[in-house]
Amino acid sequence: SSLNFHCAMTVKIYAHYEDGPSESSVTVPVEVSSVDTAMWGSVKTAVIEAYAAKSGNDLPFEDYCLYNSLGCPIADKQSVALFVDEDNDFFLRPLPEGAKATSSALASSTKTKGELSYYYAHGTRSNLVGKKEQFAVQKPPEKLSVAPKAPVINRRQSPFGTDITVYTTVTNYSWEDHDDWTVKVYIPLEGVGKLPAGAVVSNFGLREFEVLIHGYNGQNLRLGSSKLHAEIDEAGCKHNVRANRVTVVLRKNKEKDTWFDLFKKKAIGDNDDP
């Protein structure tokens, strides 16, 4: 289902809840128009309700919060507008243990969010979780409506026109700047080599790639990027399937082009947006 906050300018984000290998994992496309007034608690409510509808199980509202791609928790009462600039994927997970984000995530957040990093460093239950009734999904169509599920073709999230709502995002992977010409991405998946031929598909562009893994333990998995660290030679890229791993081989467009990260990240003075 897709959650729509009707107003003027619309921003689309994707909120995920990954239930291990279960087929009950959900991705909720959320269209937010009132980005200054809409709060993350409403997005959290939408994900919890979508999961309950799919699995029949309820997630305790007070035990979960949303996290950004840096792994930092987001308070229910925070405005959606404060976080959609850095990434459009957010994840519903249990509240942080010890009520603190990782040091690297906290340092990054302090640079980019200033005073909002308070919520990262002091992520207690009372700071992160609001009252459930404040974030109930309203039924009147002029405020909030649930649209029928439709294929999502979003250039930022799906550069190849893939409907990402039918895939679970791969979060367990590693990568290396392998040599002067290649970058390798490793996705460990026990028994993936037993899938039939054609179950794993990859797509490549000048600064983008995705690998799609179909039918793995009843799930479709996806790892992709709409903007890599640098340009690649699409024709020289490929993927290999081993017994317990999928390896994506990205061929650099320029020899000895050093990659400091897999995905593009904006640096000071950098005019090339991620």
Side-chain angles (χ1 to χ4, degrees), residues 16-21 25-27 67-71 87 89-93 167-175 185-189 211 213 216 219-224 262-263:
H16 312 273
Y17 177 70
E18 297 169 351
D19 191 13
S25 297
V26 295
T27 292
Y67 291 74
N68 65 7
S69 60
L70 295 174
D87 200 344
D89 282 294
F90 298 87
F91 304 88
L92 182 69
R93 294 170 182 158
Y167 292 89
T168 297
T169 301
V170 172
T171 56
N172 182 25
Y173 67 91
S174 60
W175 74 280
V185 183
Y186 305 102
I187 307 172
L189 293 169
V211 58
I213 303 163
Y216 180 74
Q219 284 188 300
N220 295 326
L221 308 178
R222 177 182 180 273
L223 176 65
L262 181 59
F263 305 135

Side-chain angles (χ1 to χ4, degrees), residues 130-150:
K131 294 182 179 180
K132 183 177 180 179
E133 55 268 22
Q134 288 181 290
F135 308 106
V137 175
Q138 302 297 319
K139 299 305 179 185
E142 65 273 14
K143 291 184 179 179
L144 196 66
S145 65
V146 178
K149 183 176 179 180

Side-chain angles (χ1 to χ4, degrees), residues 86-258:
E86 58 188 32
D87 200 344
N88 283 1
D89 282 294
F90 298 87
F91 304 88
L92 182 69
R93 294 170 182 158
L95 292 179
E97 301 229 355
K100 289 197 175 181
T102 63
S103 59
S104 61
L106 178 58
S108 176
S109 125
T110 301
K111 287 182 181 178
T112 59
K113 296 300 175 189
E115 63 185 25
L116 293 178
S117 62
Y118 173 88
Y119 284 96
Y120 295 165
H122 304 276
T124 63
R125 182 183 296 268
S126 61
N127 285 332
L128 290 172
V129 180
K131 294 182 179 180
K132 183 177 180 179
E133 55 268 22
Q134 288 181 290
F135 308 106
V137 175
Q138 302 297 319
K139 299 305 179 185
E142 65 273 14
K143 291 184 179 179
L144 196 66
S145 65
V146 178
K149 183 176 179 180
V152 176
I153 300 176
N154 179 292
R155 176 67 186 171
R156 179 177 174 84
Q157 300 297 330
S158 179
F160 303 98
T162 302
D163 178 7
I164 69 169
T165 63
V166 299
Y167 292 89
T168 297
T169 301
V170 172
T171 56
N172 182 25
Y173 67 91
S174 60
W175 74 280
E176 65 169 339
D177 190 349
H178 185 66
D179 55 34
D180 289 346
W181 279 109
T182 57
V183 171
K184 291 188 176 182
V185 183
Y186 305 102
I187 307 172
L189 293 169
E190 186 72 26
V192 70
K194 297 178 182 178
L195 292 177
V200 180
V201 178
S202 56
N203 298 307
F204 304 98
L206 186 61
R207 289 283 295 274
E208 53 210 18
F209 90 98
E210 72 178 358
V211 58
L212 308 174
I213 303 163
H214 300 98
Y216 180 74
N217 290 339
Q219 284 188 300
N220 295 326
L221 308 178
R222 177 182 180 273
L223 176 65
S225 171
S226 60
K227 200 155 197 180
L228 291 163
H229 178 77
E231 294 181 355
I232 58 175
D233 175 9
E234 307 103 296
C237 298
K238 62 181 180 179
H239 72 266
N240 298 315
V241 180
R242 301 289 184 258
N244 299 305
R245 186 178 73 194
V246 174
T247 301
V248 181
V249 181
L250 304 175
R251 183 169 178 82
K252 300 175 185 178
N253 217 12
K254 297 179 182 178
E255 184 181 9
K256 297 182 180 179
D257 188 3
T258 302

Side-chain angles (χ1 to χ4, degrees), residues 44 59-65 67 92-96 125 129:
K44 182 172 86 170
L59 298 175
F61 184 89
E62 64 277 9
D63 291 341
Y64 287 79
C65 69
Y67 291 74
L92 182 69
R93 294 170 182 158
L95 292 179
R125 182 183 296 268
V129 180

